[in-house]
Amino acid sequence: MSVITTGRQAINWHVPILAIAILAGLGAHSGGVNAQENQQPSVATVKNTSASQASLKTAAIKGDGDGVRDRMSDRMSDRISEGELTALVKMPLYQMKPREVGRYLAYLHDAEPDLRARVANLARKNIGQPYQIFLLGEYPYEIHDNNPMFSLERSDCVVFAEHTYAMALSSSWEEFFWMLQRIRYANGVVGVTTRNHYTEADWNVQNAWLLSDISAEVAGDRVARYSAVIDRAAFLKKMHRIDAVIPPQTINETYVPKTAVTEVLAKLKAGDFVNVISLKGSPKDSQNDGEFLASHVGLVVIGTDGERRFLHSSEPAVREESFNDFINRAESREARNRASGKSGLVLKGFKFLRLNEHPNVPPMAPQPRPQSAL
């Protein structure tokens, strides 16, 4: 309850959102907006060659530095030089300007046709990105939350996941910015009241075109369940001083207990979405009382040995680690809390959402005209 196509189709651009994207892309690197090397595409030359699509894909994923030949289209060859592409391939995403992000996305979309591989590439290209909570809002479109609408330099867990998926689905800066808003908001309608604040009830549901919950499927008879009450009106009043008439909603969710995670990891694929399920404020003498919520999110990537690993944004920076290491760190924190008499989050398990094979990106709903604040 955390508060937070590969097959192309015509996109109905909203003029205000597109205008913001173009202005941001033309500007300098915005300070407030904003690994594993063997997984980064590397380029020895930027020109068409006779290399097969299969060999290009293998080289792009493995990063074969011994003279990888990139089958760039004539269009891409005209747009980007060998030197610029080499620099972009080596540069972390969080050090790029918006214009550079757009050029890298155009290259990656041509070089890597597989969506899952693009998600893994972009996620790993942000390893080391500094962590910061409460980064995004709707400014300048709205002023309830005056944080910007994208962030390149820093991320929290949700910002990291949203930006990674949006970039993997896009081949330009403008398309990325559009896609990011489509992912962040209900039906793509920008506003603090339509933002996907709650992971299970909002984010997962609104992005069912992109991801499908497979927690019960992979857990089998080890599946665990919980219920939670979502009070959006109370949240909007507390966090944004907005009066909204929204009745509370009860949700019923499934997850994989942490004790069963090792049994299901082999069923996961690169690019799958991870919700970390925790108990909040549970008493020291109980592991079952408290409020269930998705306290953290991240992505599944696959190591060179086939190990399913967890890539996520967490203090102090974006990292990749094994699920066992993540669980061990959580249990160590919980032990420290118990020893000091503190209540805190208690890790219970994980929800897993499958990245759909061929996401059909739905159009945005019409952006309503804002009402007068007077």
Side-chain angles (χ1 to χ4, degrees):
M1 192 177 66
S2 71
V3 181
I4 52 164
T5 78
T6 54
R8 289 277 211 269
Q9 65 179 49
I11 295 176
N12 64 329
W13 297 92
H14 290 315
V15 174
I17 298 175
L18 177 57
I20 294 170
I22 293 173
L23 289 172
L26 291 175
H29 197 186
S30 173
V33 175
N34 293 283
Q36 294 190 355
E37 286 298 321
N38 63 351
Q39 294 283 337
Q40 300 291 343
S42 67
V43 178
T45 177
V46 186
K47 60 183 180 181
N48 293 329
T49 75
S50 59
S52 67
Q53 184 74 11
S55 64
L56 169 61
K57 180 177 178 181
T58 300
I61 295 175
K62 293 185 177 179
D64 181 2
D66 298 328
V68 176
R69 299 282 179 177
D70 190 357
R71 271 183 50 186
M72 304 299 292
S73 65
D74 290 336
R75 176 178 61 84
M76 275 302 298
S77 296
D78 291 340
R79 290 173 56 194
I80 190 166
S81 69
E82 174 184 348
E84 182 183 3
L85 180 55
T86 300
L88 291 178
V89 167
K90 293 180 179 179
M91 185 185 301
L93 271 175
Y94 61 89
Q95 293 179 2
M96 290 185 184
K97 299 178 177 66
R99 189 182 299 274
E100 292 170 324
V101 170
R103 293 170 79 78
Y104 183 76
L105 294 182
Y107 151 69
L108 184 63
H109 205 276
D110 278 359
E112 179 49 75
D114 183 76
L115 175 60
R116 294 184 182 281
R118 292 200 301 272
V119 170
N121 172 277
L122 291 160
R124 284 179 164 140
K125 201 167 174 61
N126 252 335
I127 289 176
Q129 180 187 48
Y131 175 89
Q132 183 178 323
I133 193 67
F134 302 131
L135 280 167
L136 298 190
E138 287 73 41
Y139 188 81
Y141 191 77
E142 283 186 354
I143 56 176
H144 292 294
D145 184 337
N146 62 2
N147 285 313
M149 296 175 69
F150 74 96
S151 173
L152 295 181
E153 292 183 343
R154 300 177 184 275
S155 69
D156 59 29
C157 62
V158 176
V159 169
F160 170 73
E162 290 173 337
H163 280 55
T164 301
Y165 284 131
M167 288 182 181
L169 290 163
S170 304
S171 59
S172 69
W173 170 265
E174 292 81 5
E175 188 178 14
F176 152 70
F177 187 86
W178 183 94
M179 197 73 68
L180 182 62
Q181 312 320 316
R182 185 63 187 83
I183 290 172
R184 291 189 69 215
Y185 298 96
N187 299 312
V189 176
V190 176
V192 68
T193 61
T194 52
R195 196 194 309 169
N196 294 322
H197 293 288
Y198 291 88
T199 302
E200 307 101 299
D202 294 336
W203 205 101
N204 293 350
V205 173
Q206 290 294 329
N207 290 299
W209 58 270
L210 178 62
L211 300 146
S212 303
D213 193 340
I214 59 169
S215 304
E217 174 187 340
V218 299
D221 59 8
R222 299 293 303 277
V223 68
R225 305 176 188 277
Y226 67 93
S227 298
V229 176
I230 307 298
D231 192 338
R232 296 178 180 86
F235 168 79
L236 290 170
K237 182 68 173 179
K238 177 181 179 181
M239 298 299 295
H240 299 285
R241 299 186 300 279
I242 293 176
D243 292 315
V245 180
I246 308 173
Q249 175 189 2
T250 299
I251 60 172
N252 298 294
E253 301 290 331
T254 58
Y255 69 99
V256 179
K258 65 180 181 180
T259 54
V261 166
T262 55
E263 302 171 24
V264 309
L265 289 181
K267 301 176 184 178
L268 304 180
K269 297 182 179 181
D272 288 348
F273 189 45
V274 181
N275 296 178
V276 177
I277 304 304
S278 302
L279 275 176
K280 180 181 180 182
S282 59
K284 290 191 301 178
D285 60 351
S286 173
Q287 292 292 299
N288 296 306
D289 296 331
E291 176 188 359
F292 274 89
L293 74 161
S295 60
H296 189 56
V297 301
L299 306 173
V300 175
V301 292
I302 301 178
T304 54
D305 59 354
E307 179 189 19
R308 273 57 175 174
R309 298 174 61 81
F310 190 32
L311 212 170
H312 58 112
S313 181
S314 178
E315 291 186 298
V318 172
R319 72 182 77 181
E320 178 180 332
E321 61 186 331
S322 69
F323 279 89
N324 282 338
D325 284 346
F326 179 84
I327 292 171
N328 289 339
R329 287 194 300 106
E331 291 178 342
S332 295
R333 181 188 65 241
E334 293 161 16
R336 292 194 298 272
N337 286 341
R338 288 193 297 272
S340 60
K342 296 179 180 178
S343 61
L345 292 175
V346 176
L347 175 63
K348 300 300 291 184
F350 304 85
K351 286 179 71 69
F352 294 111
L353 284 81
R354 172 61 37 85
L355 176 61
N356 296 333
E357 293 299 329
H358 301 288
N360 184 20
V361 185
M364 285 188 178
Q367 187 78 27
R369 180 176 179 175
Q371 296 180 350
S372 172
L374 299 179

